[in-house]
Structures are given as structure tokens and as C-alpha cells.
Amino acid sequence: MTMARKNYTKDEIRKIAQDENVQFLRLMFTDISGVIKNVEMPVDQLDKVLDNKVMFDGSSIDGFVRIEESDMYLYPDLNTWMIFPWGSEHGKVARLICRIYNTDGTPFNGDPRNNLIRILDEMHAAGYTDFNIGPEPEFFLFKLDDQGRPTLHLNDKGSYFDFAPIDLGENCRRDIVLELENMGFEVEASHHEAAPGQHEVDFKYANALEAADDIQTFKLVVKTVARKHGLHATFMPKPLDGINGSGMHMNMSLFHDKGNAFYDKSGEMQLSNDAYHFLAGLLEHARGLTAIANPTVNSYKRLVPGYEAPVYVAWSGRNRSPLVRVPASRGLSTRLELRSVDPTANPYAIIAAMLEAGMDGIRQEMTPLPAVDRNIYRMDDEERKANHITDLPSTLHNALKALRDDQVLRDALGQHLYQSFMEAKKLEWASYRQMVSQWERDQYLELY
């Protein structure tokens, strides 16, 4: 899925807004946790918006700034102009995704989108033209109760690639795809996933910044359409135990002016040196990457053996269980697939971190360990050790420690984002540690 973009001018946007009876403008940006924030304005403020004159209070957003330095500007990216297909009775709503600037006219370092642009600029300086991303986000559909609150009742009993009538979410998923297509997205595939109530929609790849914007737009559309069907869509990685969790596999390829930098017709497996170095960088930084790819306490309930999610640091061209897979296509479609990422990841942050990890591999000319083409889950500890296969962090706490010790990834986030992220996540972990769960009471209350 990718958005058909247009390089809009201010005048074109003014004309479209008038012709389409747009009444409200939604200025969108993303906070450190990957949550979409909105500033909504009436359309008569459009000139102010287009002239980068809209201010907001940055101290109201988690991880942005303290009270005393709170004024910030929203600079809309005109290429992201889009009218939502669901109008209100009061007229249509259009959105623009914004970059956040300081009052002195410099880009704000705590904006994850600005940070991705910074890392992409470094990639361009190293002689590459594009970092393309094809995400595969999964989500669950739960029924709403009479008060409109989410329940834990799934809307179906279907399984992978099922079709109706079992898959009651089919209508909802079809509407999601239609709405996306109305908005100019190209959807590659949509199907039922392995777990009941679970769905996946695959995007056509786009350049890194567009892909991150598209992921955020996608989440908004999915939640909005689900609600119309009396359903709650959640991107929580593991809402129910005993069934597969939701991932967001990331397909990535690096381009230079001669084409796909990962493809080499005469290379081993038709992969270039760049591809192997980049792959080695992903594996080298895999443990630190996990904190950014899997940033919630709940993420680690998905990263367990037995449910298709990766648990070990390894790669393969054949096996479907490793952390990094090399899909079979070659030529322009040559790519690496990172399988650990889940949809709670901040797309701007994880794409910047993956790119920086891979570029570090290229700079240091790292060589990956040999591919592991057998089932890692069937190996015992000794065999894994002999094959130099390490484990991914098993908790958010351990992942944060790995990130703390990885200077390359800390630099990929920049000082401001790194500190805000660590502070927020340490609080999350501390809060979780203090909770006593029903599982513990069931296990221990009577036994001891």
C-alpha cells in the first residue's frame, strides 16, 4: 500500500479545499511513543497553516519539551495533503502531516519525523538515493459492548487466508481497503491472519518517509472504519494469550543511481556486498533495535517460541522463522525482511534505526555469520551456541539495557529522542513491575 502523492503547491491546495467543500483541517504529527497527535482548525485558517504560522504548546506532548520552552511551530508537508473519505455533516476534513520547528526556525530534534529526515540526509551523503520500505502490519478486530467499549470477544473464528462467511471481519477489512484506495493508496494484499480475529494489509513499498507517514495514516483508517462496523481495531502486539500476536514485518531495500543496491547478479544468492554488510549491521545491532521495534511491555509476550515470531538473532533465505529473512525475489525487488517489528513501534524511529544499523554495517564492512536454514526452535542451547545464535531480549527492561549500550542506535535517535524514549519506557517498566497479575495469584496464593 502506498499513497499516490502529488507535489501540491499552496494555490492548488487552496483551490482543492474550496472545490471539495473542506471545512476542517487536521494538522498531524507523531509523538515519541508513535501516537498520532492532531491540531484541528477551521478552513478559514488555511493561509496561516500554509505559511507555517500555526503554533502549539509543545509541553502538552509527552517527551517534547518542558513548560518554559513550550512554543513550537507546525510546518505542513504539502505532499501529504489529503481529504478524508468520511465527511462529517459539517463538511469534509483534510489533513496535512507536519514537521515541528522551534521558534528560531530550526527543526525540532524531538520530532521523530525530523529525525528520520536527518538520517535520510546522511544516507544521501553516503551516495544512496532511497531507502524503500514495504510494511506488513497486522491487527485484531474485537467486538464493542453496548457502551461502545472494546471487549475481548473476537469478531470471528477464521484462520489464515480464510474467506467469508466465517470471516465476519471480511466486510470490515474490505471497507478498510476501499477507504484506503479512495485516499489514493495502492494495496498489495489483504487477508485473514493465523489467529482468529486477526487481519493483515500489505503495502506497496514506498520511500522511507512516505512509508512512515502511510503507516500512521493506515492506523487511523483502520480504527475509524472498524468503529463504523461496531468493532475495535487494536495494534496491540499480543491482546490474547495462546494465539499468534500481531507483527509489522518490515521489507527494506537500499537504492543508488544504478538501481537496487542489494542486487548483484553475480553475487552469492545474487546479493551484493552492500546487502551482506547491511544485513550484518541489522544482526549486529539486533538487540538494541529491539527496544525501538518492540517498545511496549506487551511486545515481549509476542516474542516467544511457538507463534511464528522471531526469538533468535539469525538470518536465512529459506527458513521463515529467523529474525531477518531474504525473500526470494531478485532484481529491483531484492530486499531484506526484518520480522521482529510490531505495530506499536514508532514508524519514524524504527525506520531511522534500521537504516542506521544497516549503514553502520556498510561503513564497517561487516560480514554476517552464515545463514541458518534449519528450524532454530528445534536446536538445543548447545547447538545454538555452536552456530553463534544469540537470543533477542526477552523483556522491555533487557531491551532498554541493550539500547543503552548501543551508541550507533542512540545516535540514530539523537540525544533528545533517546532520552525522552528511555525516560518514558523506564516509567512504563517500573509501573508494570509493581503490578500483581491474576496469573501470580492463581499460581501462588493457595500454594504458599
Side-chain angles (χ1 to χ4, degrees), residues 204-221:
K204 185 172 175 182
Y205 68 85
N207 74 57
L209 190 63
E210 283 185 30
D213 288 345
D214 288 351
I215 289 166
Q216 295 300 72
T217 306
F218 172 75
K219 288 180 186 169
L220 200 70
V221 173

Side-chain angles (χ1 to χ4, degrees), residues 291-352:
I292 305 165
N294 310 98
T296 64
V297 164
N298 181 254
S299 296
Y300 296 84
K301 307 289 169 85
R302 169 181 165 258
L303 298 178
V304 294
Y307 297 99
E308 296 183 18
V311 183
Y312 304 109
V313 180
W315 74 278
S316 173
R318 287 201 280 280
N319 195 334
R320 293 193 74 87
S321 63
L323 177 65
V324 181
R325 191 170 80 89
V326 185
S329 334
R330 288 295 177 267
L332 281 179
S333 308
T334 312
R335 62 192 190 275
L336 303 174
E337 180 185 22
L338 182 65
R339 297 180 59 259
S340 57
V341 187
D342 73 49
T344 59
N346 179 325
Y348 303 98
I350 185 56
I351 291 171

Side-chain angles (χ1 to χ4, degrees), residues 233-355:
T234 182
F235 291 93
M236 178 180 177
K238 190 89 171 190
L240 299 169
D241 49 65
I243 61 175
N244 283 22
S246 290
M248 182 167 69
H249 296 173
M250 290 289 210
N251 294 276
M252 66 197 88
S253 51
L254 196 60
F255 276 70
H256 46 45
D257 46 21
K258 295 187 187 69
N260 190 324
F262 287 170
Y263 176 60
D264 178 356
K265 202 164 75 166
S266 53
E268 192 184 341
M269 286 175 65
Q270 295 194 324
L271 297 175
S272 68
N273 287 337
D274 273 357
Y276 284 111
H277 296 327
F278 197 102
L279 167 62
L282 287 175
L283 298 173
E284 173 71 22
H285 296 287
R287 287 180 58 82
L289 266 176
T290 305
I292 305 165
N294 310 98
T296 64
V297 164
N298 181 254
S299 296
Y300 296 84
K301 307 289 169 85
R302 169 181 165 258
L303 298 178
V304 294
Y307 297 99
E308 296 183 18
V311 183
Y312 304 109
V313 180
W315 74 278
S316 173
R318 287 201 280 280
N319 195 334
R320 293 193 74 87
S321 63
L323 177 65
V324 181
R325 191 170 80 89
V326 185
S329 334
R330 288 295 177 267
L332 281 179
S333 308
T334 312
R335 62 192 190 275
L336 303 174
E337 180 185 22
L338 182 65
R339 297 180 59 259
S340 57
V341 187
D342 73 49
T344 59
N346 179 325
Y348 303 98
I350 185 56
I351 291 171
M354 293 186 316
L355 176 55

Side-chain angles (χ1 to χ4, degrees), residues 145-160:
D145 66 13
D146 299 340
Q147 274 78 53
R149 287 188 302 253
T151 66
L152 286 179
H153 301 301
L154 293 165
N155 68 298
D156 68 32
K157 293 280 186 291
S159 64
Y160 196 64

Side-chain angles (χ1 to χ4, degrees), residues 17 21-29 37-57 72-76 81-82 84 88 90-96 98:
N21 187 29
V22 170
Q23 292 299 314
F24 296 97
L25 306 168
R26 198 178 278 178
L27 307 182
M28 285 167 49
F29 59 95
K37 301 292 181 186
N38 286 306
V39 175
E40 194 150 300
M41 317 199 79
V43 75
D44 61 15
Q45 300 291 301
L46 182 58
D47 285 341
K48 188 178 175 183
V49 170
L50 296 175
D51 292 337
N52 303 331
K53 294 283 196 304
V54 174
M55 296 186 84
F56 75 105
D57 176 6
M72 316 224 111
Y73 281 99
L74 290 169
Y75 283 29
W81 167 263
M82 194 186 69
F84 287 118
S88 67
H90 309 298
K92 291 182 185 168
V93 181
R95 76 90 201 262
L96 284 159
C98 299

Side-chain angles (χ1 to χ4, degrees), residues 156-171 173-174 190-193 199:
D156 68 32
K157 293 280 186 291
S159 64
Y160 196 64
F161 284 124
D162 262 3
F163 19 102
I166 298 177
D167 181 3
L168 299 176
E170 183 72 32
N171 290 340
R173 192 175 66 234
R174 194 173 56 228
S190 85
H191 54 84
H192 202 292
E193 268 300 320
H199 301 269

